[in-house]
């Protein structure tokens, strides 16, 4: 059967196989480039988000300190400065002056 395929047809088939290989290789490289750029972008965004989250945490801590809030020793809930009982677990809170936490 193979003998019946003319040289011209064989050449055409080889040419198509080479073209296909080349295109598939190009496609693979494209996938790699896209994947890499997404990973780079994600890493950069992740760093930025991490930095912003840190800033929010710092601001919250400063606010808590400025308000003189009391941290519950049992559940770590922050309560208003004049609270007697924890708003979350109900434990009696002890007032401390110049509470240094963290
Ligand atoms: Zn509590």
């Amino acid at each position: 059967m193979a003998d019946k395929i003319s040289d011209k047809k064989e050449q055409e088939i080889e040419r198509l196989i080479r073209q296909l290989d080349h295109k598939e290789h190009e496609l693979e490289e494209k996938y790699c480039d896209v994947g890499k750029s997404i990973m780079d972008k994600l890493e950069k965004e992740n760093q930025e988000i991490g930095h912003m989250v840190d800033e929010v945490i710092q601001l919250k801590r400063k606010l808590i300190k400025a308000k003189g809030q009391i941290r519950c020793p049992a559940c770590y809930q922050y309560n208003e400065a004049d609270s007697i009982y924890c708003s979350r677990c109900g434990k009696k809170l002890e007032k401390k002056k110049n509470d240094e936490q963290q």
Side-chain angles (χ1 to χ4, degrees), residues 72 75 77 86 89:
C72 173
C75 73
Q77 169 75 21
C86 174
C89 71

Side-chain angles (χ1 to χ4, degrees), residues 40-54:
D40 287 348
K41 174 93 176 150
L42 272 181
E43 197 181 326
K44 192 175 166 277
E45 295 292 348
N46 198 33
Q47 276 177 2
E48 245 175 78
I49 286 171
H51 187 67
M52 289 166 81
V53 168
D54 282 348

Side-chain angles (χ1 to χ4, degrees), residues 71-79 85-93:
R71 198 175 197 187
C72 173
C75 73
Y76 305 114
Q77 169 75 21
Y78 284 102
N79 295 276
Y85 297 100
C86 174
S87 63
R88 186 194 276 166
C89 71
K91 188 175 170 69
K92 190 159 197 215
L93 300 170

